[in-house]
Amino acid sequence: MAADWRDAIETQREQKNQYFGEHPHSPLSPDERESFDGLEYYPIDEEYRFELPLQEYDDPEGITVGTSTDGEQEYLEWGEFQFTVDGEDVTLQAYKSEPDDDRLWVPFRDATSGDETYGAGRYLDLEVDSHRTSDSDWVLDFNEAYNPTCAYSDQYECPLPPMDNWLEVPIEAGEKDYGDH
């Protein structure tokens, strides 16, 4: 099992690098694609992989989330994950765009944001097919944390992690900052 999830993350990273470096719809400009030699990631670390129940809210509330272009987007606060990172108890909210969505969106900022990782925060997308266990828990794997497209180009509008998902602990897993664009 351990090798399988690690291999899947390595494959995702390789595919993303190929897409960013070669695909015409890459968020990188053609000039950037020519010199692109891959994104930077933290080493895959099992300490940042959690299997957790989602504590779903009985009556999910709507929330307005600011975006990188000073816009707004609407989401539903669907529930929360509670877990411990480096001895610190933390809580992250999970969101949905629509009540019937199967996927959960977990945006977050942490103590690495603006230093080692993208300052506006990173995302986790949780899909039923690949992030649910046989016990109906969710796999919250920060090794899969990625930067929003606005980290690569100002042409994109990205929702920003709500303050409820600003963590004081470092999450030293997943994608690192791309740098200046």
Side-chain angles (χ1 to χ4, degrees), residues 13 16-18 20-21 28 35-41 178:
R13 291 177 177 184
K16 186 170 184 176
N17 279 335
Q18 183 176 8
F20 272 49
L28 303 180
S35 62
F36 180 72
D37 61 356
L39 299 169
E40 289 189 50
Y41 295 91
Y178 180 63

Side-chain angles (χ1 to χ4, degrees), residues 111-170:
T112 69
S113 298
D115 183 21
E116 296 176 8
T117 62
Y118 183 55
R122 296 178 287 161
Y123 299 165
L124 288 172
D125 295 328
L126 307 183
E127 307 283 348
V128 170
D129 293 344
S130 55
H131 293 95
R132 290 300 292 265
T133 68
S134 58
D135 297 333
S136 295
D137 284 345
W138 288 90
V139 177
L140 193 68
D141 190 343
F142 289 97
N143 295 289
E144 296 180 18
Y146 69 94
N147 294 331
T149 51
C150 54
Y152 312 105
S153 172
D154 295 332
Q155 296 179 30
Y156 295 92
E157 178 181 36
C158 301
L160 303 172
M163 289 185 72
D164 284 349
N165 280 8
W166 290 18
L167 305 178
E168 294 183 21
V169 297

Side-chain angles (χ1 to χ4, degrees), residues 21-50:
E22 300 173 12
H23 200 279
H25 291 115
S26 166
L28 303 180
S29 71
D31 289 344
E32 287 176 305
R33 287 196 300 267
E34 282 184 29
S35 62
F36 180 72
D37 61 356
L39 299 169
E40 289 189 50
Y41 295 91
Y42 288 98
I44 296 172
D45 186 344
E46 193 168 3
E47 295 293 315
Y48 290 102
R49 186 177 193 277
F50 303 90

